[in-house]
Amino acid sequence: MNKPHRISGETAPLDREALESFWLPFTPNRQFKADPRLFVAAEGMHYVTSDGRRVLDAMAGLWCVNAGHGQRAIVDAIKAQAERLDFVSSFQMSHPAAFELAGRIAEIAPAGLDHVFFTNSGSEAVDTALKIARAYHRARGEGSRIRFIGRAKAYHGMGWGGLSVSGIGRHRRDFGPLLPEVDHLPHTHSIEHAAFSRGQPQWGAHLADELTTLLQIHDPSTVAAVIVEPVIGSGGVLPPPVGYLEQLRAICDRHGILLIFDEVITGFGRLGAAFGAEAFGVTPDLITCAKGMTNGAVPMGGVIASRSVYDALMAGPSSAIELFHGYTYSAHPLACAAALATLDVYCDLELFARCGRLAPIWEQAAHALRDAPHVVDIRNIGLLAAIDVTPRDGAPGARGAECAKRCFDDGVLIRSSGDTLVLSPPLIIAENEIEMVFATVRRALDAIG
Ligand SMILES: Cc1ncc(COP(=O)(O)O)c(C=O)c1O
C-alpha cells in the first residue's frame, strides 16, 4: 500500500479527488464537493478557513464549543492524558478521572441526580436513557411500562431509539419502521399566539395536558418515559411556555412515568445555569448531555440519573451486572480529561453566570431585527436565538440557506435549518461581537430577495 499524500493543517484538500472519499453527514455531498467549505484552525470566537479568512463562530461549532475554541487548559489536559494513559475500558475496570468526572457532574446537576453513565455522543446518551427507563421499570416489577412519549419538532439524535422519539419528519422518513409503542406530544410553537416572544412564551402551558389525553388512550401503566428537550434546539429554538415543564413533571409524577430532559444543547451553561433543569426549576429523573461536556474537543456524552433510578437497578445480587449496556469508549480517558478541564474553564471564567448576564443584551440585539425584510418570528433564551424568514415561493429553505451563506461570506457562521436561522455562540462572546453578529444577519436579510 502506498502511503497517500497526507492532508492536514494548513494544506487543505481542494482538488476533487482528495474530497471524494469522505461521505459527509447531514450534507448535500455533491454540492458541497463542488464548493467545499473547509476550516483549518480555530481560536477563541473564530474559525480560520482554508483560504485564510477569519469567521466568527456564532454557532459554537455545532452548539458545543461553549468556552470558545482552543482553550489552552483543555488542550493541555488532553495531551497530558494521552501521554499518561491512552485507553482503558470501563467494563469491569476503569481509571480515576472517570470517577472524578462523574462526581463533578453530579455536583452541578440538580439535587438528587447524582449518577452518571458515560457515552460518546448525544445520540448514545438518548438511547441509553431510554434503555435505562425500561430497565428501571422492569427492575421494579413493572415490565409492562414500555411506551415512550416524545414531541413534535424534537431532535434526539440519530440512534434508533432517539429517532423514534424525535419529531422531525424528514429525519425519520427513510428509515422506518422505527420503535413501535411511541407517541408524540404536539410542539408548543405558535406564531398566532406567541410571535416574537422573548424567553419563555406566556402562551402554551396547556399543551402539556395533551399528555393526559395520550394517557387516556394508552393505559398509563404501559408508559415508561416522556422525553423532551427543555428548549427544542435543532427543531427551531423553541423555549417552553411558562408552566409547561412543571405541568409535564406533575403528570409524570401522578402516573409513575419517568421524565427525561434531553439537555445535549441546553446542558453546560447555554441557558445561564449548569442545566436547563436548573434554569427552569424543574427536575427530571434522567438528563442526557454531550456537546458542551468537553467543549466539543473530544466526543463524549452521558446520562445523569436520579438516585432512585440508580438504586432500583442496584437492587439485585451484587455479583450481577445491573445494566447490560455500555460502549467500548464509555468514559474514555481523553474525554474524561477534556471534560474535567472543561468544567474548570467554565468555573474559572464563570461562564454560566456570564451567559445569564449577556442573555438580555443578546435578546435585545436579536429582537432588533423584527423590522428586517422577510422576518416573521424571532425567539431567544439564554444565548440561543432563532429567526424565521418567510419561505420563497416554491423553494422552502432557499431563503434561509442563502441568508446563512451571505453571513458566512461576510464573516459570521450561523446555521440555517429550513427557513429558520439559528444562532448559539460560545459563552465567551463579547458585547460588541453580539452587535456585530446581528448587524451581519441584518445585512444578509437586506441583501436577499
Ligand atoms: C437535543 C439533542 N439530542 C441529541 C443530539 C445528538 O447528539 P450527537 O450528535 O452528539 O449524537 C443532539 C445533537 O444536536 C441534540 O441537539
Side-chain angles (χ1 to χ4, degrees), residues 174-234:
D174 295 336
F175 307 116
L178 302 176
L179 272 189
E181 320 299 350
V182 174
D183 287 284
H184 290 81
L185 294 166
H187 63 78
T188 58
H189 182 215
S190 166
I191 292 209
E192 191 192 346
H193 294 103
F196 298 100
S197 53
R198 294 170 177 240
Q200 291 187 262
Q202 293 299 325
W203 180 92
H206 65 281
L207 292 169
D209 294 337
E210 295 293 324
L211 179 53
T212 308
T213 308
L214 285 177
L215 297 178
Q216 282 159 0
I217 299 171
H218 307 292
D219 183 340
S221 70
T222 64
V223 179
V226 170
I227 179 166
V228 290
E229 300 162 86
V231 176
I232 285 182
S234 302

Side-chain angles (χ1 to χ4, degrees), residues 100-120:
E100 187 185 345
L101 177 59
R104 291 277 301 276
I105 291 172
E107 264 169 35
I108 60 168
L113 270 72
D114 48 13
H115 288 84
V116 186
F117 192 103
F118 289 112
T119 68
N120 307 295

Side-chain angles (χ1 to χ4, degrees), residues 12 16 30 74 134 144 151 163 194 267 277 283 301 397 406 412 423:
R16 278 198 80 83
R30 288 155 298 168
I74 302 172
R134 280 192 177 172
S144 65
R151 202 159 44 140
L163 197 54
T283 304
R406 277 186 184 268
V412 173
L423 298 92

